[in-house]
Amino acid sequence: MAVTFPLRALGALGLAAVVLAGCSSSGTPSTANPANPAMKVTITRDSAGIPHITASNFTALGYGEALAFARDNFCTLAQDFVTVNGQRSKYFGPKGLSLNYSAGTSDTNLDSDLFWTRVKDSGILTREFHQAPPLGPTPQVVDVYRGYVAGYNDYLASGKLTDPACKHKPWVRPITLDDMYLRGYQIVTEASSAQFIGAEVQAAPPAHTAATTAATTADPPAPNAATLTAAFGSNSGDSVGSNGIGIGSQDTAAGDGMLLANPHFPWQGTERFWMAQLTVPGQYDVEGGTLMGFPLIGIGFNQNVAWTHTVSTSFRFTFYQLKLAPGDPTAYVVDGKTVPMGRQTVSVDTGHGVVHHTFYTTQWGPVVVVGQAHYQWTTTTAYAMADSMGNDAYRAANQYLAMGRATSVQDLLNIESTYLAIPTFNTIAADATGHVYYGDVGNTPNVPASLIASCTPPGLAQLVYQAAGVVTLDGSRQDCAWQNDPGTPVPGIFNASHMPHTIRTDYVENSNDSYWLANPSAPFPAFSPIIGNIDVQQGLRTRLGNQMIAARVAGTDGLGPPKFTLGSLQAMWQSNQSMEAQLVLGALVGACRATPSAKASNGTTVDLTAACTALAGYDKTGNLDAAGGWLFSEWAANAPSKGLWSDAFNPAQPLTTPAVLNTANPAILQALADAVVNLQQHHVPLDATYGQVQHVVRNGTSIPIPGCDTGCFNAIYAADGTGGPLAAFPYGVVHDGSSLVMTTELTPSGPVSQGILTYSQATDPTSPWYANMTKLYSEKRWVPLAYTPAQLAAEHGTSTQVAYAP
């Protein structure tokens, strides 16, 4: 079937018009060459709804990709364009919440609008755009963005939008290149500036009064560790992140390379993955997943290489403690010289008036107030945030285009080392020669341990560093600036020689702990603490992953002969083993039977007899039929973070310690009492299976979801009615966890891959791809990820040819 969409005028495409085809060097429109034939784009949807898009160049590729994407998710991305343009207050009210599921934050619409208006008005994207690559975009990157804008706008103009979430809504409009680049900025700052939107907006100088001076010069009370974790998050742990395993020739049955990609991402919002194969013959041919509004593959495979990402322990930002000038809280002192703060005043139309707000800036970054950490703006002290990702939007796009062209894991490492643009991710990869790669090689502030030791101010900044790992440096000393390495594209970041990476032929694994045990047989030495630490307790998924790999290589897991095949890799992941249950369930049941009642947090005494029986029957998995699994999950959610174990972590045995539940701690049974109360309040049987509780709803149909949040590799996080940012989710509804899952073998004849997108391709409930893969995931089924023309033909998909005529 051939469909022709008219291309809209290019005049509204935004700040990049100077480099667009059909424009003169001055940026004014020129007459297109009438001899240029229309460019062709072929979009073939396979049986799972994954589009395979082949185009004659990158502009046409972006055009076809946007057409396919818009059919699935137009409204979700359209609302995000409202966000990054600072218009949420106007359309959704200033007091509503702008939820950032990936960053784990929620800001008011007004705060969000003020932040994004500041970003827009700062001119940073225009300045970066006009720099030469790698800082500015390459011509191919501009082309794919340009085509994406045209495809998005033509879909909107076609009248084919059916999603009730935004059809006929006043905030839906054609977009420009500026919108796309703002979305790129949003993606790369998810783990840095986007976490501190409210902190920037709340920063205001204190009043100039004697009483204020006396009050604000007093030392603030020290926050506790829990408060600091809430303020800054944690750079390790099992609550967020991903799993990645690269298996080399030593450990695969066929002696080739294999990869498990298993990012854990939100099940709603723009941080959902969308799957596609993007092909410009001879230049780019990559299949995998990408985040909404980023028109290149972020996790995927080509003919020779497959790669994935996990959230790194590395911080992409630091704070600076400012010494303020006497009598002027809007000036700060560096090396004895007074420096006035910059001011940027922005205006936001709320729909009921205009709000004006002034941001304050320093040489280190914008001034922030992080109340939970007691980082306040007083008459003597303030704090600024330095973000390495603020100049990374175009460089990251350039890097991902190059990564899709990598021919080996060594080539991939070389690309990462050149661009140094990865935002807060580790990379795990495998290639067709049987080599595997792990690296935390990205855009990391050049803050070695020596700088932390010499430049962390005493007192509160040291407490923050010890409790949360967040670095705060002395902003009154120029020698506390981020240091420089040779060969970096921008100053102030590490080069690859100062970041962990390895290429091997056995395996590499990461589940959001630090680089230390990427392969436990060859632990990394210490790098800068801003990247992560060694000799620290490992998360449950890290321990389980390495345990499962060892059993698979030895053939002792019941999944077949030793070493990995694609089928045994899939079966291993789908086993849904709960590492926490393996470690503590027996002891928990014993303690419950010995003391079959306990006081809950609300003060009521709870009979635990039925809970003991339910837990005794639990099979220690996240399978749908795992009776008692939900009760165990709720116990784990309430279990104490301190005093959980009776044995200590041993760095010499990092994958097996600690392992003994501290049943002498009364909080252990109190947590079980709280779990019982929770289930009873929500009318859930104590022996309920995961399949009875954990679910999503698609067009009125409830789909049970396997997986668990107690150390399952297939991590799934569902609402349990405890409120907070997830209060809007009904009880048992999944909101985060396994998302894009791919198992890929790189054979001599090309890649063979199967995968699943757990929440399906579409957020549009009228799309045929709204629930299909979610149902397959519920049934532990996979879809073939066709890569070659022959593989795609076997999928019996539907093909659409689009004529693109600039």
Side-chain angles (χ1 to χ4, degrees):
M1 175 177 62
V3 179
T4 301
F5 285 78
L7 178 64
R8 304 296 159 197
L10 297 178
L13 288 184
L15 57 87
V18 67
V19 298
L20 301 184
C23 291
S24 68
S25 59
S26 65
T28 58
S30 63
T31 303
N33 183 354
N36 279 347
M39 296 178 284
K40 300 294 184 183
V41 184
T42 300
I43 304 170
T44 302
R45 289 268 191 178
D46 64 25
S47 59
I50 300 170
H52 302 256
I53 304 164
T54 301
S56 53
N57 59 34
F58 282 96
T59 308
L61 182 69
Y63 184 81
E65 181 183 1
L67 287 179
F69 173 86
R71 176 64 186 93
D72 296 339
N73 299 289
F74 184 94
C75 291
T76 304
L77 185 56
Q79 186 172 143
D80 197 60
F81 289 136
V82 177
T83 299
V84 298
N85 274 279
Q87 296 176 320
R88 294 192 62 85
S89 296
K90 179 178 179 180
Y91 294 109
F92 309 120
K95 295 182 180 179
L97 291 181
S98 174
L99 296 175
N100 186 326
Y101 294 106
S102 182
T105 60
S106 59
D107 302 289
T108 67
N109 288 335
L110 181 57
D111 282 1
S112 173
D113 290 343
L114 292 168
F115 172 85
W116 283 107
T117 302
R118 181 191 70 75
V119 172
K120 286 172 53 180
D121 291 356
S122 72
I124 184 172
L125 292 173
T126 301
R127 292 192 301 272
E128 295 291 332
F129 176 85
H130 288 293
Q131 295 196 57
L135 302 185
T138 65
Q140 295 94 336
V141 166
V142 174
D143 284 348
V144 74
Y145 273 90
R146 170 198 173 209
Y148 199 98
V149 169
Y152 179 101
N153 291 342
D154 281 0
Y155 181 84
L156 176 60
S158 73
K160 294 185 176 183
L161 178 60
T162 58
D163 189 344
C166 72
K167 186 178 181 180
H168 304 312
K169 294 295 175 67
W171 44 270
V172 175
R173 58 167 175 81
I175 62 170
T176 70
L177 275 174
D178 298 32
D179 295 303
M180 291 293 292
Y181 294 146
L182 283 165
R183 169 59 179 149
Y185 184 93
Q186 183 186 45
I187 290 172
V188 299
T189 58
E190 290 284 7
S192 49
S193 295
Q195 296 190 49
F196 298 99
I197 289 175
E200 283 195 37
V201 175
Q202 292 164 17
H208 297 261
T209 68
T212 301
T213 300
T216 58
T217 54
D219 291 334
N224 59 37
T227 301
L228 291 172
T229 299
F232 298 115
S234 173
N235 66 337
S236 64
D238 288 293
S239 60
V240 294
S242 309
N243 305 308
I245 301 176
I247 309 161
S249 57
Q250 290 186 46
D251 291 342
T252 59
D256 49 22
M258 199 175 292
L259 183 81
L260 169 68
N262 180 206
H264 302 156
F265 263 59
W267 279 42
Q268 58 285 308
T270 50
E271 309 325 301
R272 284 171 49 120
F273 283 96
W274 182 73
M275 297 186 74
Q277 181 179 8
L278 305 179
T279 305
V280 177
Q283 299 186 64
Y284 187 80
D285 189 6
V286 189
E287 184 164 1
T290 185
L291 298 180
M292 293 187 184
F294 184 68
L296 295 163
I297 298 300
I299 290 176
F301 62 92
N302 61 24
Q303 180 74 18
N304 299 299
V305 179
W307 79 92
T308 189
H309 293 308
T310 60
V311 174
S312 165
T313 56
S314 172
F315 287 104
R316 297 311 201 237
F317 64 90
T318 69
F319 291 98
Y320 276 90
Q321 186 182 91
L322 307 176
K323 177 183 178 181
L324 300 183
D328 185 0
T330 62
Y332 59 104
V333 177
V334 180
D335 290 345
K337 296 180 179 180
T338 298
V339 182
M341 292 180 182
R343 303 187 186 198
Q344 183 185 353
T345 300
V346 301
S347 301
V348 168
D349 179 3
T350 68
H352 301 282
V354 176
V355 173
H356 306 284
H357 181 80
T358 298
F359 291 90
Y360 292 82
T361 60
T362 72
Q363 71 178 66
W364 310 112
V367 180
V368 295
V369 168
V370 187
Q372 290 173 296
H374 299 167
Y375 275 15
Q376 304 286 356
W377 191 343
T378 73
T379 56
T380 59
T381 305
Y383 295 86
M385 179 183 174
D387 183 358
S388 68
M389 302 306 302
N391 59 6
D392 199 35
Y394 302 119
R395 197 165 92 243
N398 295 340
Q399 175 166 325
Y400 276 99
L401 176 64
M403 288 169 66
R405 296 163 157 173
T407 58
S408 66
V409 293
Q410 181 63 60
D411 192 23
L412 188 67
L413 170 58
N414 294 343
I415 290 166
E416 292 194 343
S417 302
T418 298
Y419 288 93
L420 295 172
I422 292 289
T424 195
F425 297 135
N426 303 290
T427 301
I428 297 93
D431 68 21
T433 69
H435 289 81
V436 293
Y437 162 65
Y438 163 84
D440 192 347
V441 178
N443 194 350
T444 305
N446 192 327
V447 181
S450 58
L451 192 69
I452 297 172
S454 64
C455 283
T456 301
L460 185 57
Q462 289 182 337
L463 291 174
V464 167
Y465 177 64
Q466 292 164 3
V470 174
V471 173
T472 303
L473 302 172
D474 188 345
S476 70
R477 295 166 48 194
Q478 191 61 46
D479 64 354
C480 292
W482 296 355
Q483 298 182 355
N484 296 315
D485 278 352
T488 61
V490 293
I493 63 175
F494 284 121
N495 66 23
S497 70
H498 291 135
M499 291 183 280
H501 55 272
T502 185
I503 293 176
R504 313 176 56 84
T505 57
D506 47 3
Y507 80 89
V508 291
E509 190 274 349
N510 184 268
S511 294
N512 310 120
D513 284 302
S514 78
Y515 56 85
W516 177 36
L517 300 178
N519 185 290
S521 67
F524 276 108
F527 288 80
S528 167
I530 202 170
I531 302 174
N533 296 307
I534 66 171
D535 296 334
V536 292
Q537 184 173 323
Q538 300 296 284
L540 294 169
R541 285 183 287 109
T542 296
R543 295 170 65 174
L544 177 64
N546 283 281
Q547 172 183 294
M548 292 192 301
I549 291 168
R552 176 81 301 270
V553 172
T556 58
D557 56 4
L559 299 178
K563 299 190 177 183
F564 281 93
T565 63
L566 207 59
S568 62
L569 176 61
Q570 293 170 350
M572 184 188 81
W573 182 79
Q574 287 181 323
S575 64
N576 289 328
Q577 301 173 54
S578 164
M579 187 66 189
E580 190 164 9
Q582 290 181 18
L583 293 173
V584 308
L585 183 61
L588 178 61
V589 171
C592 181
R593 285 174 168 164
T595 309
S597 68
K599 276 195 174 183
S601 297
N602 63 10
T604 62
T605 299
V606 178
D607 183 352
L608 300 179
T609 305
C612 303
T613 302
L615 290 176
Y618 174 42
D619 68 0
K620 305 178 186 176
T621 75
N623 290 330
L624 293 180
D625 61 356
W630 185 258
L631 176 63
F632 182 79
S633 175
E634 277 304 299
W635 169 81
N638 288 286
S641 57
K642 287 187 176 181
L644 180 66
W645 307 104
S646 63
D647 58 333
F649 168 70
N650 182 352
Q653 298 175 308
L655 299 178
T656 55
T657 60
V660 181
L661 183 67
N662 182 13
T663 56
N665 184 348
I668 298 299
L669 290 184
Q670 178 178 301
L672 184 55
D674 288 339
V676 170
V677 170
N678 178 283
L679 268 66
Q680 290 175 340
Q681 288 176 340
H682 293 92
H683 310 290
V684 175
L686 297 184
D687 62 352
T689 66
Y690 276 106
Q692 290 176 275
V693 183
Q694 198 164 264
H695 70 288
V696 292
V697 177
R698 296 287 185 265
N699 286 330
T701 299
S702 179
I703 304 172
I705 301 299
C708 77
D709 60 358
T710 59
C712 278
F713 227 55
N714 177 21
I716 289 293
Y717 305 97
D720 64 357
T722 53
L726 303 177
F729 289 91
Y731 192 84
V733 168
V734 172
H735 58 82
D736 206 326
S738 289
S739 53
L740 171 69
V741 187
M742 294 191 302
T743 57
T744 305
E745 185 168 10
L746 297 149
T747 76
S749 57
V752 176
S753 187
Q754 292 185 330
I756 199 75
L757 191 59
T758 57
Y759 36 63
S760 300
Q761 285 278 81
T763 54
D764 180 353
T766 70
S767 168
W769 317 117
Y770 180 56
N772 63 311
M773 280 200 270
T774 307
K775 294 175 182 177
L776 294 175
Y777 167 62
S778 179
E779 299 167 358
K780 291 190 175 181
R781 295 168 62 189
W782 301 83
V783 300
L785 303 182
Y787 183 78
T788 67
Q791 291 171 341
L792 185 56
E795 281 298 293
H796 305 293
T798 58
S799 184
T800 301
Q801 190 176 82
V802 180
Y804 175 85

